[in-house]
Amino acid sequence: MPLDVLTALFGAALIGLLWAPWYRFEGPPSGVRAGTFFGLRTLHANAWQAMAVNDVILFIAGLMGIWLVVATASYSTSAVPIGAASFATFAGLLASVLAAIRLIWPPDLGPGPTDRAVGVWLGVAAAIGLTICAAASMRDERRGVYAQVPVTPLPAPRGSGA
Protein backbone atom coordinates (compact mmCIF):
# COMPACT_ATOMS: atom_id res chain seq x y z
CA MET A 1 0.00 0.00 0.00
CA PRO A 2 2.79 2.57 0.61
CA LEU A 3 3.99 2.20 -2.97
CA ASP A 4 0.44 2.74 -4.20
CA VAL A 5 0.19 5.98 -2.26
CA LEU A 6 3.57 7.10 -3.61
CA THR A 7 2.39 6.26 -7.14
CA ALA A 8 -0.72 8.37 -6.57
CA LEU A 9 1.41 11.26 -5.33
CA PHE A 10 3.58 11.10 -8.43
CA GLY A 11 0.41 10.94 -10.56
CA ALA A 12 -1.07 13.99 -8.83
CA ALA A 13 2.24 15.82 -9.19
CA LEU A 14 2.33 15.00 -12.90
CA ILE A 15 -1.19 16.33 -13.36
CA GLY A 16 -0.44 19.49 -11.38
CA LEU A 17 2.79 20.13 -13.26
CA LEU A 18 0.91 20.32 -16.55
CA TRP A 19 -0.03 23.89 -15.51
CA ALA A 20 3.52 24.84 -14.45
CA PRO A 21 5.73 26.74 -16.90
CA TRP A 22 7.51 24.18 -19.09
CA TYR A 23 9.15 26.49 -21.62
CA ARG A 24 10.43 30.07 -21.95
CA PHE A 25 10.52 31.79 -25.30
CA GLU A 26 10.83 35.27 -26.75
CA GLY A 27 7.68 36.98 -27.93
CA PRO A 28 6.39 40.43 -28.80
CA PRO A 29 5.75 42.84 -25.93
CA SER A 30 2.17 43.47 -24.93
CA GLY A 31 0.37 46.03 -27.05
CA VAL A 32 2.38 45.25 -30.17
CA ARG A 33 0.88 43.33 -33.05
CA ALA A 34 2.20 39.83 -33.61
CA GLY A 35 3.68 40.74 -37.00
CA THR A 36 6.04 43.45 -35.73
CA PHE A 37 8.84 42.69 -33.30
CA PHE A 38 10.39 45.91 -32.05
CA GLY A 39 11.45 44.50 -28.72
CA LEU A 40 11.03 40.96 -27.45
CA ARG A 41 9.92 39.87 -24.00
CA THR A 42 10.16 36.50 -22.32
CA LEU A 43 6.95 34.47 -22.32
CA HIS A 44 6.18 31.18 -20.57
CA ALA A 45 4.18 28.23 -21.88
CA ASN A 46 2.82 25.36 -19.84
CA ALA A 47 2.35 21.82 -21.15
CA TRP A 48 -1.24 22.47 -22.23
CA GLN A 49 -0.13 25.41 -24.38
CA ALA A 50 3.03 23.84 -25.83
CA MET A 51 1.84 20.34 -26.73
CA ALA A 52 -0.97 18.95 -28.83
CA VAL A 53 -1.44 15.31 -27.74
CA ASN A 54 1.35 14.59 -25.29
CA ASP A 55 -0.29 16.65 -22.57
CA VAL A 56 -3.42 14.49 -22.70
CA ILE A 57 -1.31 11.32 -22.44
CA LEU A 58 0.55 12.77 -19.44
CA PHE A 59 -2.79 13.64 -17.83
CA ILE A 60 -4.13 10.10 -18.38
CA ALA A 61 -0.92 8.62 -16.92
CA GLY A 62 -1.37 10.76 -13.82
CA LEU A 63 -4.97 9.59 -13.50
CA MET A 64 -3.82 5.96 -13.77
CA GLY A 65 -1.43 6.55 -10.87
CA ILE A 66 -4.26 7.96 -8.76
CA TRP A 67 -6.55 5.10 -9.82
CA LEU A 68 -4.02 2.60 -8.49
CA VAL A 69 -4.44 3.76 -4.89
CA VAL A 70 -8.23 3.90 -5.29
CA ALA A 71 -8.30 0.34 -6.65
CA THR A 72 -6.06 -0.92 -3.86
CA ALA A 73 -8.24 0.67 -1.20
CA SER A 74 -11.54 -0.40 -2.80
CA TYR A 75 -11.02 -4.03 -3.74
CA SER A 76 -10.30 -6.84 -1.31
CA THR A 77 -8.76 -9.13 -3.92
CA SER A 78 -5.40 -8.42 -5.46
CA ALA A 79 -6.51 -8.90 -9.08
CA VAL A 80 -7.82 -5.38 -9.69
CA PRO A 81 -4.88 -3.57 -8.03
CA ILE A 82 -2.38 -5.65 -9.99
CA GLY A 83 -4.24 -4.82 -13.21
CA ALA A 84 -4.32 -1.14 -12.26
CA ALA A 85 -0.60 -1.27 -11.46
CA SER A 86 0.20 -2.82 -14.83
CA PHE A 87 -1.82 -0.19 -16.70
CA ALA A 88 -0.25 2.58 -14.61
CA THR A 89 3.21 1.18 -15.35
CA PHE A 90 2.53 1.15 -19.09
CA ALA A 91 1.01 4.66 -19.04
CA GLY A 92 3.88 5.93 -16.90
CA LEU A 93 6.44 4.42 -19.25
CA LEU A 94 4.77 6.09 -22.22
CA ALA A 95 4.55 9.39 -20.32
CA SER A 96 8.22 9.14 -19.32
CA VAL A 97 9.31 8.64 -22.93
CA LEU A 98 7.14 11.49 -24.22
CA ALA A 99 8.24 13.88 -21.46
CA ALA A 100 11.89 12.98 -22.03
CA ILE A 101 11.48 13.65 -25.75
CA ARG A 102 10.00 17.07 -24.95
CA LEU A 103 12.90 17.70 -22.58
CA ILE A 104 15.51 16.83 -25.20
CA TRP A 105 13.74 18.48 -28.15
CA PRO A 106 11.61 21.42 -26.96
CA PRO A 107 8.95 22.71 -29.36
CA ASP A 108 9.53 25.84 -31.43
CA LEU A 109 7.23 28.38 -29.81
CA GLY A 110 8.51 31.78 -30.82
CA PRO A 111 10.84 33.69 -33.11
CA GLY A 112 13.76 33.16 -30.72
CA PRO A 113 15.08 30.04 -29.05
CA THR A 114 12.84 28.02 -26.74
CA ASP A 115 14.37 27.38 -23.32
CA ARG A 116 13.34 24.76 -20.79
CA ALA A 117 11.67 25.95 -17.61
CA VAL A 118 11.36 24.09 -14.32
CA GLY A 119 8.09 22.34 -15.25
CA VAL A 120 9.59 20.11 -17.92
CA TRP A 121 12.31 18.86 -15.54
CA LEU A 122 9.84 18.15 -12.75
CA GLY A 123 7.39 16.60 -15.22
CA VAL A 124 10.00 14.11 -16.41
CA ALA A 125 10.90 13.29 -12.80
CA ALA A 126 7.23 12.78 -11.87
CA ALA A 127 6.62 10.53 -14.89
CA ILE A 128 9.68 8.41 -14.12
CA GLY A 129 8.72 8.21 -10.44
CA LEU A 130 5.20 7.13 -11.39
CA THR A 131 6.60 4.38 -13.62
CA ILE A 132 9.03 3.03 -11.03
CA CYS A 133 6.53 3.07 -8.16
CA ALA A 134 3.75 1.48 -10.23
CA ALA A 135 6.11 -1.28 -11.40
CA ALA A 136 7.27 -1.92 -7.83
CA SER A 137 3.65 -1.91 -6.69
CA MET A 138 2.88 -4.92 -8.91
CA ARG A 139 5.40 -6.95 -6.95
CA ASP A 140 4.06 -5.59 -3.66
CA GLU A 141 0.49 -6.68 -4.48
CA ARG A 142 1.35 -10.34 -5.05
CA ARG A 143 0.39 -12.82 -2.40
CA GLY A 144 3.24 -13.81 -0.19
CA VAL A 145 4.29 -17.31 0.76
CA TYR A 146 2.00 -18.51 3.50
CA ALA A 147 2.82 -21.00 6.21
CA GLN A 148 2.60 -24.58 5.06
CA VAL A 149 -0.06 -26.65 6.79
CA PRO A 150 1.19 -30.15 7.63
CA VAL A 151 -0.82 -32.80 5.78
CA THR A 152 -0.69 -36.47 6.72
CA PRO A 153 -0.45 -38.62 3.60
CA LEU A 154 -3.14 -41.28 3.41
CA PRO A 155 -2.62 -44.73 1.90
CA ALA A 156 -3.81 -45.26 -1.63
CA PRO A 157 -7.16 -47.01 -1.94
CA ARG A 158 -7.11 -50.71 -2.81
CA GLY A 159 -8.27 -51.78 -6.19
CA SER A 160 -11.57 -53.73 -6.39
CA GLY A 161 -11.86 -57.25 -7.75
CA ALA A 162 -8.31 -58.43 -7.50
Side-chain angles (χ1 to χ4, degrees):
M1 180 76 171
L3 285 171
D4 300 337
V5 173
L6 196 57
T7 304
L9 289 176
F10 278 120
L14 184 60
I15 290 173
L17 286 169
L18 292 176
W19 283 274
W22 280 46
Y23 302 106
R24 288 185 301 271
F25 61 98
E26 301 293 326
S30 60
V32 177
R33 293 183 321 143
T36 60
F37 299 107
F38 296 110
L40 298 176
R41 67 183 177 115
T42 302
L43 301 173
H44 294 284
N46 60 25
W48 295 110
Q49 296 165 336
M51 300 180 203
V53 177
N54 294 354
D55 51 359
V56 177
I57 295 172
L58 295 174
F59 184 78
I60 291 171
L63 286 178
M64 296 289 249
I66 294 171
W67 168 245
L68 176 58
V69 76
V70 171
T72 303
S74 300
Y75 293 94
S76 61
T77 64
S78 62
V80 175
I82 288 176
S86 64
F87 283 118
T89 302
F90 175 72
L93 184 63
L94 181 62
S96 297
V97 169
L98 292 176
I101 287 172
R102 283 300 177 185
L103 175 67
I104 296 169
W105 295 289
D108 187 20
L109 298 175
T114 302
D115 294 329
R116 294 158 196 88
V118 69
V120 68
W121 295 97
L122 294 176
V124 169
I128 291 172
L130 175 106
T131 305
I132 291 171
C133 289
S137 175
M138 277 191 284
R139 180 173 174 83
D140 192 37
E141 293 291 336
R142 291 186 310 168
R143 294 185 177 186
V145 178
Y146 295 106
Q148 299 267 338
V149 178
V151 177
T152 307
L154 297 173
R158 289 186 171 204
S160 62

